[in-house]
Amino acid sequence: MGGWNFQRHWLFNRAPITSMTYGTAEAVPLQNQRDLRLEALVKSALRLTLLLLLTVTAFSQSNVVAPNENLVVEGVPPVPASLAETVDRYTNFRAANLQSWDPTARQMLITTRFADTAQVHLVKMPGGARTQLTFYPDRVSGAWYSPTSGASFVFSKDMGGGEFFQLYRYDFSTGDTTLLTDGKSRNTDPVWSYAGDKLAYGSTRRTGNDVDLYVVDPANPKSDHLLAQLTGGGWTALDWSPDGRSILVLEQISSEESYLWTVDASSGAKTLITPKGGADKIAYGSGRFSKDGKGIYVTTDKEAEFQRLTYVDLSTKQHTYLTNGIPWDVEEFDLSRDGKTVAFVTNEDGFGVLHLFETGSRKEKPVTGVPKGVISGVRWHANNRDLGFSLSSARSSSDAYSLDVKSGKIERWTFSETGGLNTAEFPEPDLIHWKSWDGRAISGFLYRPSAKFTGRRPVIINIHGGPEGQFRPSFPGRWDYYVNELGIAMIAPNVRGSAGYAKRLLVLTTECCARVLIATLIRCWIGFRLGLIWIPAAC
């Protein structure tokens, strides 16, 4: 049961089950006694286990996977080599993520994995070759061109998997890399000044715990210096003011509470923008200075259940909410170089939806033709016309795309490998809704096996981590093996307390113990009438 300790006295004490069907199978009457239902579940599981044992023992030793010599294996049936080969294809997917546009040419930096770890690659055109630029055993987590020059870029690299990220400068003319940070501490979230001559970032260099604000000219590593000494580990540099005099900084206390500051780029003096001490906790997310530097665009749940795109006047601190008509979280955004358009992404029942917002008229422009999935990494090109982003969907691992905001043309820049599998046949999930035991609405995604699997089918209930997490309909990867090869349906519910469904629902995480959670899921299945015969695992 995937680690859950099921107890009959509470697992089956909800609404009575009358019948369940799946696909075209006939309804199967079920008695309203607990023992009979439990017996049916156990018998189904035992029959499947027996079938698997009989199948694998039919193979000769030469056609099975030999355990590693360091493993002591007892009571484990042989694993057919053909099974391992099939499963392996579902674990060999690549993914590409947009990192940065070249400010002087229509080309981009991406990260993707050709060997064991993600590295920086240059792509010069949609569908073009991925030219690898960095070669390290440790992963590269990000890369950023200067806003004014394509001659170099800064990238962040892990050290031994410990997430003590270091910043480096890559020079295109020589291929040389130069370490910008101390090589020891954790250094994160670099952000360029508009002039392209300075880089602000957070570092734990001083105490090993507190994240202080540092500034460096990447062309002169010796210029690296501490700008502002901060307390706590939740500080992030978000943006520079257009005149280079101020840095916008986020102080995060928790997922429900955060504050925005400006830091003087010369003295390091801090000024609080969003006051503390109110009755309600308020969370802020992304932030960018407006083109004139008189205000900032942010995301916040201030006076709302969702994160809204908001303009904050720096002189009055007045908040003007720009996305009141969208009852979903604004996850991220980017402001065009000319300051005229904000591109933002909303999380709408798990799907990522791209929007364009004109800052002058304060009106939204429709965006059409973007494939359905999860969108991230929205980046404007310096030409104010090309908008880049990464997209992951049910049939494609993450890849880089661009939108021409004038013509509406969408182009795919990378085509990541998918283990040789034809992902066009992979199932697209159904977004489903139902009511929980307390009447609250719950949604989830149902992955149905293909029509070649007839009769009533088993189901996996895949519960996301967290507790304040959310299942998103991105590329399922290895989960597709169960659906495509074994004909097992999968439902991924966003249970009580999941993120993305209003602030008041997020706090229900603490109320959602295992007993209520599993009972809710069982009842949800019945209420939605999906007709699944037995439940082999809760993950």
Side-chain angles (χ1 to χ4, degrees):
M1 291 293 185
W4 291 102
N5 183 16
F6 283 83
Q7 300 293 326
R8 289 185 300 167
H9 71 278
W10 64 262
L11 179 59
F12 298 108
N13 68 354
R14 297 294 175 182
I17 304 174
T18 55
S19 66
M20 293 191 289
T21 63
Y22 187 86
T24 58
E26 295 181 358
V28 179
L30 298 179
Q31 302 298 320
N32 194 21
Q33 285 83 20
R34 303 172 184 173
D35 292 340
L36 290 178
R37 288 196 294 272
L38 181 61
E39 181 180 356
L41 291 172
V42 173
K43 284 182 177 180
S44 297
L46 290 175
R47 283 196 293 269
L48 178 64
T49 302
L50 179 59
L51 177 61
L52 291 174
L53 288 174
L54 291 175
T55 300
V56 297
T57 53
F59 289 84
S60 66
Q61 291 298 318
S62 61
N63 292 322
V64 300
V65 176
N68 186 287
E69 61 182 8
N70 295 321
L71 295 178
V72 177
V73 180
E74 296 180 358
V76 178
V79 177
S82 59
L83 173 62
E85 291 173 358
T86 301
V87 172
D88 188 58
R89 301 179 73 189
Y90 285 87
T91 64
N92 272 321
F93 302 118
R94 288 198 180 108
N97 292 290
L98 169 64
Q99 296 298 330
S100 184
W101 284 103
D102 185 326
T104 61
R106 194 172 184 263
Q107 57 188 25
M108 63 174 61
L109 296 177
I110 66 163
T111 49
T112 190
R113 174 187 62 82
F114 277 0
D116 295 328
T117 59
Q119 299 295 317
V120 180
H121 295 69
L122 176 66
V123 182
K124 294 186 176 182
M125 66 187 72
R130 295 159 291 181
T131 303
Q132 189 166 343
L133 302 177
T134 62
F135 298 82
Y136 296 102
D138 295 312
R139 69 185 175 103
V140 175
S141 58
W144 302 267
Y145 273 111
S146 160
T148 59
S149 172
S152 64
F153 64 88
V154 171
F155 66 93
S156 172
K157 183 181 73 68
D158 198 357
M159 292 181 59
E163 298 188 351
F164 284 87
F165 300 104
Q166 303 301 317
L167 300 179
Y168 298 79
R169 179 180 183 269
Y170 180 95
D171 190 317
F172 273 102
S173 63
T174 63
D176 292 338
T177 60
T178 303
L179 179 65
L180 301 178
T181 46
D182 66 344
K184 301 175 183 179
S185 59
R186 176 181 168 89
N187 305 277
T188 56
D189 304 302
V191 56
W192 282 98
S193 64
Y194 280 71
D197 59 347
K198 294 178 182 178
L199 193 79
Y201 65 95
S203 179
T204 61
R205 191 178 313 173
R206 180 174 57 87
T207 66
N209 295 307
D210 298 310
V211 176
D212 297 323
L213 187 63
Y214 283 74
V215 172
V216 63
D217 175 1
N220 178 19
K222 293 183 179 180
S223 66
D224 187 34
H225 65 281
L226 172 67
L227 176 64
Q229 182 174 309
L230 306 172
T231 302
W235 295 87
T236 304
L238 298 177
D239 194 23
W240 288 74
S241 62
D243 60 11
R245 295 180 179 180
S246 298
I247 303 171
L248 180 63
V249 177
L250 174 71
E251 178 192 12
Q252 185 172 19
I253 307 301
S254 68
S255 62
E256 302 171 10
E257 181 182 5
S258 53
Y259 303 93
L260 291 171
W261 301 72
T262 55
V263 175
D264 187 289
S266 297
S267 67
K270 306 192 304 294
T271 301
L272 183 63
I273 300 174
T274 53
K276 297 185 177 183
D280 298 325
K281 293 181 179 180
I282 300 171
Y284 290 85
S286 302
R288 293 293 304 272
F289 278 95
S290 60
K291 178 66 175 178
D292 59 12
K294 296 180 179 180
I296 55 175
Y297 293 96
V298 301
T299 58
T300 180
D301 61 8
K302 179 180 173 66
E303 301 176 350
E305 288 293 320
F306 295 94
Q307 287 274 323
R308 294 180 290 184
L309 181 65
T310 303
Y311 176 79
V312 181
D313 186 298
L314 290 177
S315 62
T316 65
K317 308 301 185 296
Q318 180 179 350
H319 288 52
T320 302
Y321 306 114
L322 307 176
T323 55
N324 288 326
I326 303 177
W328 299 102
D329 282 334
V330 176
E331 293 188 299
E332 62 175 275
F333 71 90
D334 194 26
L335 180 66
S336 60
R337 188 70 63 88
D338 60 11
K340 295 181 179 180
T341 311
V342 176
F344 65 93
V345 178
T346 51
N347 174 358
E348 302 190 8
D349 233 340
F351 288 104
V353 180
L354 182 63
H355 304 258
L356 295 176
F357 180 85
E358 295 179 335
T359 59
S361 64
R362 293 194 172 179
K363 293 182 179 180
E364 186 180 342
K365 295 172 58 177
V367 178
T368 59
V370 179
K372 205 169 186 180
V374 178
I375 300 172
S376 61
V378 175
R379 305 279 190 275
W380 280 100
H381 191 283
N383 62 16
N384 301 304
R385 177 168 182 168
D386 288 306
L387 178 68
F389 56 92
S390 301
L391 173 72
S392 176
S393 68
R395 294 176 176 173
S396 171
S397 57
S398 181
D399 276 303
Y401 290 75
S402 69
L403 166 68
D404 185 321
V405 298
K406 292 186 178 180
S407 68
K409 183 179 181 180
I410 295 174
E411 294 179 292
R412 184 172 175 176
W413 284 66
T414 60
F415 294 81
S416 296
E417 292 78 6
T418 54
L421 296 166
N422 180 15
T423 59
E425 303 298 325
F426 282 17
E428 291 191 317
D430 297 327
L431 175 62
I432 56 178
H433 297 85
W434 65 95
K435 286 188 177 181
S436 178
W437 56 271
D438 61 353
R440 297 183 185 274
I442 285 181
S443 68
F445 293 91
L446 170 64
Y447 293 80
R448 300 177 185 268
S450 69
K452 70 180 181 181
F453 296 102
T454 59
R456 298 181 291 272
R457 308 307 307 166
V459 60
I460 292 175
I461 298 178
N462 180 12
I463 305 171
H464 64 71
E468 297 166 344
Q470 182 188 21
F471 183 89
R472 307 289 300 276
S474 57
F475 193 62
R478 64 191 63 186
W479 286 106
D480 273 317
Y481 173 81
Y482 298 102
V483 181
N484 297 341
E485 304 294 337
L486 302 182
I488 299 176
M490 182 180 78
I491 183 174
N494 282 312
V495 297
R496 295 157 50 92
S498 296
Y501 300 94
K503 184 165 54 176
R504 70 179 183 278
L505 299 182
L506 186 64
V507 299
L508 295 179
T509 300
T510 56
E511 303 173 15
C512 192
C513 63
R515 168 181 173 178
V516 175
L517 173 62
I518 300 302
T520 298
L521 294 175
I522 299 298
R523 186 170 181 179
C524 290
W525 274 110
I526 299 164
F528 195 68
R529 299 176 183 176
L530 292 177
L532 301 161
I533 291 307
W534 53 273
I535 300 174
C539 309

